[in-house]
Amino acid sequence: QVEGLGPDDFTDPMHRQVFTAIQAIVQVGQPLDPRELRDSLDPALWDGFDALVKLSESQPQGADDEQELENEVVVTAVRIRLAQRKEQLQRLSFAQSDPETMADADQAARLRAQADGLGQEIDQLHKSLAERSLLGRRRTAGG
């Protein structure tokens, strides 16, 4: 349960559906079982889900305690949101490079405001990530 993270933060449709399925399970208070989670997904996504599970099993288990695990989850969530916001900003920048789009003063102003807002959010996400990463290193070092 990561505050502010939602399905729209995932650009890959499979990841979005996996996230939504996890949310549904967590919201009703059930334990998260990968087999049950897989069964709740569209069968067309099973191969991709199996690959994700296999990948996660091959990764080193870094978190030794609950606080460290929580920090790793938040760092991952911030990275996901940061990637999504950067992608949004890139799409806005592309739209702003279109002379026809920018010819409409109101549309141009809206796009600039959106880009400014995304830029500020990206800066905040970078700061949050730096703070969380530093916090994680301090905990790992015993400080």
Side-chain angles (χ1 to χ4, degrees):
Q1 296 181 24
V2 179
E3 184 178 320
L5 189 64
D8 291 338
D9 288 313
F10 297 88
T11 55
D12 184 306
M14 183 195 62
H15 295 160
R16 190 177 302 122
Q17 188 175 356
V18 169
F19 179 83
T20 301
I22 290 171
Q23 266 189 324
I25 291 169
V26 169
Q27 286 175 348
V28 296
Q30 292 180 336
L32 194 57
D33 180 328
R35 288 180 303 272
E36 290 179 24
L37 178 59
R38 181 183 191 269
D39 292 341
S40 73
L41 299 174
D42 180 338
L45 301 177
W46 287 356
D47 288 342
F49 179 78
D50 292 343
L52 283 176
V53 170
K54 188 174 183 178
L55 178 64
S56 74
E57 290 170 350
S58 71
Q59 300 298 310
Q61 301 299 316
D64 293 329
D65 64 29
E66 193 170 320
Q67 278 187 327
E68 189 177 336
L69 179 60
E70 180 182 327
N71 189 60
E72 286 183 24
V73 168
V74 172
V75 165
T76 300
V78 170
R79 285 184 177 143
I80 290 168
R81 175 155 286 181
L82 183 58
Q84 202 267 350
R85 294 302 185 260
K86 285 180 177 181
E87 187 175 307
Q88 283 180 315
L89 186 58
Q90 187 175 22
R91 285 193 305 267
L92 276 175
S93 295
F94 181 74
Q96 288 176 314
S97 68
D98 178 22
E100 284 185 37
T101 301
M102 297 306 284
D104 178 346
D106 290 337
Q107 178 74 0
R110 280 194 297 275
L111 289 175
R112 279 193 291 276
Q114 286 178 329
D116 289 347
L118 282 171
Q120 290 172 2
E121 186 175 357
I122 287 169
D123 288 346
Q124 283 301 113
L125 290 168
H126 276 295
K127 287 177 187 174
S128 176
L129 189 58
E131 291 169 3
R132 283 287 180 168
S133 296
L134 181 60
L135 179 64
R137 284 194 298 272
R138 283 186 184 152
R139 285 192 180 131
T140 302

